[in-house]
Amino acid sequence: MSDVQDIRSIIEEQIETLRRRNKEPEWVTKMRYRGLKAFLTAPHNDPVLSNPLEFVVGHKEKFPEVKTLEDLPPEMRALLDRLGIAEVEKKYVAGLAVQSDTNIVLNEFLKSWGARGLEVLSMEDAVKKYPALKDKFMSLFSPEESKLAAYHTAIWNGGVFLRVKKGLKIPMPLHLFFLIQNSAMAQAPHIMILAEEGSEIHLIEGCTSPILVRHSLHLDMSEIFVGDGAKVKLSVIQNWPEYVHTRPMTRAKIGKNAEFINTTVGLGTGKSNIASPKYWVDEGGYVELNGIILGQKNYHVDLGGEMLLRGRGSRGLNATKSVIMDRATVITRGLIRAQAPSTRGHISCDALLMGPDARMETYPGLISEVDDAELSHEAAIGKIREEELFYLMSRGLREEEATQLIVKGFLDPMLKDIPMEFVVEIKKIIEMAVGGGM
Amino acid sequence: MNELLTIENLHVAVNGNKEIISGLNLRIGESEFHVVMGPNGSGKSTLALTLMGHPRYRITHGRILFMGEEIASLTPNERGRRGIFMAFQQPKVVDGVRIKDYLTLLLTKVKGMDPLKTGKIIRKTLREVWFSEDILGRYINEGFSGGEKKRFEILQALLLKPKLLILDEPDSGVDIDSLSLISSKLRKMHGEGIAVLLITHYGRILQHVDPRILHVHILREGRIVMSGQEELVERIEQEGFRKIFEECGCNE
């Protein structure tokens, strides 16, 4: 496997398979080959995956094609039921799109919003429909920056293109679930959100489908363009099985007076989860990265987050709350760069250590390139306070019940942007995790 | 009168070996009303916390019986479920835990109540102690005034209906109106057959309680040095502990 020629021909074959399957424009295939070239030379500095080559080979299993929600495999349906999505769906409270390979299954709700200017396409269809995407696609990343970015560029498959027309405000969250079955490569969906001037949208991504996916590496990439005055919320709920390594790559450009709230809830973070999202914020813009991390077993979670406050008066907030159990390690490294006058940034990191072997590291970074920026950070790492536990237990609650209450309470302020049906499910998962560990 | 709580020759140490309670004896019968008074540092709060099972207070000698059962090895929640309730002197803030979720959990888990029936009872009881329903969305004790904290303790006691209600200085840091309310709630709960062990510095908290029923004890250096009835409360208020201790020869 270590032979460069072998790697080159394996990736090349994967690219050709995708080219034929997708009948994609030439610029897309060219971009893939640029990714292949970069893969061979780009640096690789992942602390967990020492050899990226071992993930290049995929599997050959075939699953039946999914065209409607009815065709979903039972595991996926059960999961949607568990998350209360089936109920929500029935009530038409929110939109649900399920991504299955190159098909997007839309419900009636989404179709009705489609007429008013909400466009949801599979990424494969989007690059065919809009030649102009050539200038946007991979514009926030460079394949040369790392082997994983290069590999994503070469073999990206699946993903969603979402465009919200100027001024369109969508009042309820849109749910998106990934179901990628038949691709012979690593799971590498590419997501692009174009929120035009003054528009508003909240997208909830459920990253799961553990049983279907045999891959051990998940390499998704998201490029988000928040137009002037637009408001975008992106909530990602990760519930990965323990054999998966995930490397979500997220970057966003936030326009003048625009707002981007990026919440990531790592319930099942997988064997290792390393992310370093990056945000560019223009004049008067605001970005928020909220991380909720449940570290279990021997998982390794590393959440960065770089904010470039490059417009006057722009603001950034990076807040994480971690609950760490067993032998898990959680690292946070927020970085805020104040590059323009009157900018403000704050990093906060709170962690509850649930056992003697749980480990937390935090490296806040504040860089001011101007003289009137306000930058601050705070961190609080500790275990559950004995006095709080005693107070609750004295009222008759068992240690486990009191602990669950305290842990849920610790995370509660971070769940403000997550719809109730997810909060209920998230709290159930936390209860199970905490209940077993104490 | 059946005995509810029996404390025999109790010795309690904290932080290693520092002894705070030294040979304390106390018997509380069902539905009795006991008041424990004493200067600062005499071991009043230690007594309350030891009865509730705080892990930092270690019983080195003696025993505590509740309804005939030795409770020293029981966890705080096991004591709570047997009917002991302690209203804290300084109730703890539990961040992020909404009062509605908390009280509902108490009623369902501890009292075994049907979750569908809890809402009505909670809403009714919170009005009794002057809270509006807005409190349900707030976090436990967060941003509460002194009076609110103490009234929230009483609210929980009203919901849980213990057999023995221990109050550790329910009158400290409380406004006059809350104090009067807490006093009348004490009378009400006692009237319903709940035994009370009230720890206080002042007699004012007893304003609504029938003075004839009181059993008053004075604690000094971890021991009860004097017991009596309501007149003892008045004497302490007028003369102070120092004089009483001199007269009784308790200063040895």
Side-chain angles (χ1 to χ4, degrees), chain A residues 216-247:
Chain A
S216 50
L217 178 61
H218 184 92
L219 271 184
D220 64 291
M221 196 179 263
S222 304
E223 296 184 280
I224 297 124
F225 300 87
V226 187
D228 292 349
K231 289 185 178 171
V232 175
K233 287 183 187 174
L234 174 65
S235 307
V236 182
I237 298 169
Q238 309 190 58
N239 197 5
W240 300 103
E242 55 185 285
Y243 52 82
V244 170
H245 297 276
T246 58
R247 297 293 179 271

Side-chain angles (χ1 to χ4, degrees), chain B residues 162-182:
Chain B
K163 293 189 178 68
L164 173 64
L165 173 61
I166 304 166
L167 302 114
D168 188 2
E169 296 193 23
D171 43 4
S172 66
V174 172
D175 56 283
I176 299 274
D177 291 331
S178 291
L179 188 65
S180 171
L181 176 76
I182 292 168

Side-chain angles (χ1 to χ4, degrees), chain A residues 141-215:
Chain A
F141 290 90
S142 155
E144 286 80 20
E145 61 190 74
S146 76
K147 276 200 168 24
L148 296 179
Y151 189 50
H152 174 94
T153 312
I155 60 109
W156 70 269
N157 55 98
V160 167
F161 171 81
L162 203 141
R163 189 172 71 103
V164 196
K165 213 173 94 181
K166 182 175 171 179
L168 178 68
K169 296 184 164 102
I170 298 169
M172 55 280 281
L174 170 71
H175 300 172
L176 177 65
F177 274 82
F178 285 101
L179 174 68
I180 297 173
Q181 303 167 296
N182 289 334
S183 54
M185 299 117 221
Q187 228 185 333
H190 198 95
I191 296 146
M192 189 180 278
I193 300 174
L194 297 182
E196 295 181 357
E197 201 181 320
S199 64
E200 287 180 19
I201 188 164
H202 183 182
L203 180 69
I204 298 172
E205 258 180 65
C207 291
T208 177
S209 68
I211 300 152
L212 297 166
V213 181
R214 304 291 190 271
H215 304 297

Side-chain angles (χ1 to χ4, degrees), chain A residues 102-342:
Chain A
T102 58
N103 292 323
I104 289 269
V105 184
L106 296 181
N107 72 351
E108 292 303 316
F109 170 87
L110 280 183
K111 285 176 195 160
S112 74
W113 279 92
R116 301 172 59 177
L118 168 69
E119 192 171 16
V120 185
L121 295 172
S122 74
M123 202 65 231
E124 280 88 347
D125 286 343
V127 293
K128 280 187 263 189
K129 186 171 173 185
Y130 295 110
L133 279 188
K134 188 182 173 195
D135 299 328
K136 280 227 158 29
F137 193 89
M138 283 298 293
S139 65
L140 302 185
F141 290 90
S142 155
E144 286 80 20
E145 61 190 74
S146 76
K147 276 200 168 24
L148 296 179
Y151 189 50
H152 174 94
T153 312
I155 60 109
W156 70 269
N157 55 98
V160 167
F161 171 81
L162 203 141
R163 189 172 71 103
V164 196
K165 213 173 94 181
K166 182 175 171 179
L168 178 68
K169 296 184 164 102
I170 298 169
M172 55 280 281
L174 170 71
H175 300 172
L176 177 65
F177 274 82
F178 285 101
L179 174 68
I180 297 173
Q181 303 167 296
N182 289 334
S183 54
M185 299 117 221
Q187 228 185 333
H190 198 95
I191 296 146
M192 189 180 278
I193 300 174
L194 297 182
E196 295 181 357
E197 201 181 320
S199 64
E200 287 180 19
I201 188 164
H202 183 182
L203 180 69
I204 298 172
E205 258 180 65
C207 291
T208 177
S209 68
I211 300 152
L212 297 166
V213 181
R214 304 291 190 271
H215 304 297
S216 50
L217 178 61
H218 184 92
L219 271 184
D220 64 291
M221 196 179 263
S222 304
E223 296 184 280
I224 297 124
F225 300 87
V226 187
D228 292 349
K231 289 185 178 171
V232 175
K233 287 183 187 174
L234 174 65
S235 307
V236 182
I237 298 169
Q238 309 190 58
N239 197 5
W240 300 103
E242 55 185 285
Y243 52 82
V244 170
H245 297 276
T246 58
R247 297 293 179 271
M249 294 175 264
T250 300
R251 287 188 186 170
K253 265 192 171 164
I254 295 121
K256 286 181 185 163
N257 301 312
E259 190 180 289
F260 182 50
I261 313 282
N262 191 183
T263 300
T264 165
V265 184
L267 294 170
T269 55
K271 185 93 182 138
S272 71
N273 184 308
I274 298 175
S276 51
K278 192 168 175 177
Y279 315 90
W280 292 265
V281 194
D282 288 343
E283 193 180 323
Y286 177 63
V287 64
E288 195 174 299
L289 170 62
N290 300 306
I292 294 161
I293 302 163
L294 186 63
Q296 299 179 75
K297 299 175 185 168
N298 59 348
Y299 296 174
H300 179 99
V301 182
D302 188 332
L303 178 60
E306 185 176 354
M307 297 171 174
L308 296 132
L309 306 179
R310 60 181 185 175
R312 171 182 279 272
S314 56
R315 293 170 299 135
L317 170 67
N318 178 329
T320 56
K321 282 195 178 239
S322 312
V323 178
I324 313 169
M325 288 174 274
D326 309 325
R327 282 157 290 116
T329 298
V330 174
I331 304 167
T332 61
R333 30 179 133 237
L335 176 62
I336 301 180
R337 277 178 197 275
Q339 300 176 317
S342 306

Side-chain angles (χ1 to χ4, degrees), chain B residues 231-246:
Chain B
E231 75 285 348
L232 209 47
V233 179
E234 281 167 38
R235 254 188 87 192
I236 291 165
E237 300 226 302
Q238 282 161 14
E239 302 173 12
F241 289 112
R242 187 185 286 266
K243 189 153 182 236
I244 293 174
F245 290 154
E246 276 168 18

Side-chain angles (χ1 to χ4, degrees), chain A residues 321 385-402 404-414 416 420 427 431, chain B residues 49 52-56 76-77 80-81 85-88 91-98 102 105-106 109-110 139-141 152-153 156 160:
Chain A
K321 282 195 178 239
R385 278 190 285 273
E386 188 183 48
E387 294 301 327
E388 284 178 31
L389 199 60
F390 175 66
Y391 181 79
L392 297 176
M393 285 178 72
S394 78
R395 301 287 137 91
L397 296 176
R398 292 199 310 271
E399 183 170 359
E400 181 185 295
E401 291 162 346
Q404 288 170 344
L405 207 56
I406 291 169
V407 171
K408 284 187 290 180
F410 172 72
L411 298 176
D412 188 83
M414 298 291 275
K416 60 184 170 28
M420 196 34 95
K427 289 190 170 176
E431 270 179 23
Chain B
L49 290 163
M52 204 65 245
H54 193 290
R56 258 187 291 157
N77 53 304
R81 280 176 189 245
F85 183 102
M86 182 181 95
F88 282 60
K92 303 300 166 214
V93 173
V94 189
D95 230 349
V97 179
R98 287 179 206 284
Y102 170 57
L105 195 71
L106 284 188
K109 295 279 183 187
V110 181
Y139 296 153
I140 296 175
N141 290 319
F152 185 60
E153 295 293 283
Q156 294 169 68
L160 290 172

